[in-house]
Amino acid sequence: MNQIELIEEQLQKLGFETRKIEDVGYIFNYNELNYLYMPDENDENFLRISVPQIYDVTDENRLGILNVVQDTNYAMKYIKAIVIGSDSVWLFYEYRLFSNEQLGDILEHMISALHAAYMIFQQKVNGEDEE
């Protein structure tokens, strides 16, 4: 079994129902958010999970959203908030896998950290102070 299959299997063991999206990866849901496991066929040890399209970017809100993206990146370790295609904000967590690691623990941390980043982003975009 290759690393991509192991990750998909581990996600299922954690209780997530994954669905394959051709040429993109595997989508699953947690706390009402869609997550996307995006395997790299050329580097099986590269693990990337994203929360896609969390906020629409328009000409009117672009500057404010870029500031929120920057603030979110500053507030969160391991997470990258990025404007993709100039029209939506995505969150990414990327990790280099090494042998003898607890894949389930890593995946749980990635998913929890992405959820926390989403909550911080939403608080910042709504002008609320996070605790």
Side-chain angles (χ1 to χ4, degrees):
M1 185 176 294
N2 67 31
Q3 192 77 292
I4 294 169
E5 293 167 336
L6 287 172
I7 291 167
E8 182 187 10
E9 180 182 272
Q10 189 63 49
L11 285 168
Q12 291 171 353
K13 282 183 182 177
L14 291 171
F16 300 110
E17 292 182 29
T18 61
R19 183 172 43 97
K20 175 95 168 122
I21 298 177
E22 290 301 316
D23 300 325
V24 178
Y26 299 85
I27 194 164
F28 60 97
N29 188 278
Y30 173 69
N31 279 347
E32 300 181 19
L33 286 178
N34 288 320
Y35 290 74
L36 189 57
Y37 162 49
M38 305 169 73
D40 185 334
E41 300 284 334
N42 298 317
D43 185 357
E44 289 185 350
N45 292 320
F46 180 69
L47 176 54
R48 176 189 294 143
I49 297 178
S50 69
V51 179
Q53 302 172 325
I54 65 167
Y55 202 85
D56 291 332
V57 180
T58 65
D59 290 338
E60 293 78 29
N61 71 9
R62 182 171 308 283
L63 183 58
I65 294 304
L66 290 175
N67 286 330
V68 171
V69 163
Q70 180 177 321
D71 290 346
T72 302
N73 287 337
Y74 183 73
M76 290 297 301
K77 293 180 180 176
Y78 310 106
I79 303 297
K80 293 189 288 189
I82 301 171
V83 176
I84 299 286
S86 76
D87 65 352
S88 67
V89 177
W90 288 45
L91 300 173
F92 288 91
Y93 190 136
E94 298 173 333
Y95 186 83
R96 175 85 175 148
L97 291 170
F98 297 95
S99 60
N100 299 325
E101 290 186 287
Q102 296 297 317
L103 187 55
D105 292 344
I106 292 166
L107 289 168
E108 285 181 14
H109 181 264
M110 292 176 81
I111 293 163
S112 295
L114 283 162
H115 186 263
Y118 173 80
M119 297 305 292
I120 287 172
F121 179 89
Q122 292 300 322
Q123 288 171 339
K124 291 183 178 298
V125 90
N126 293 324
E128 302 168 6
D129 290 329
E130 71 277 353
E131 306 234 351

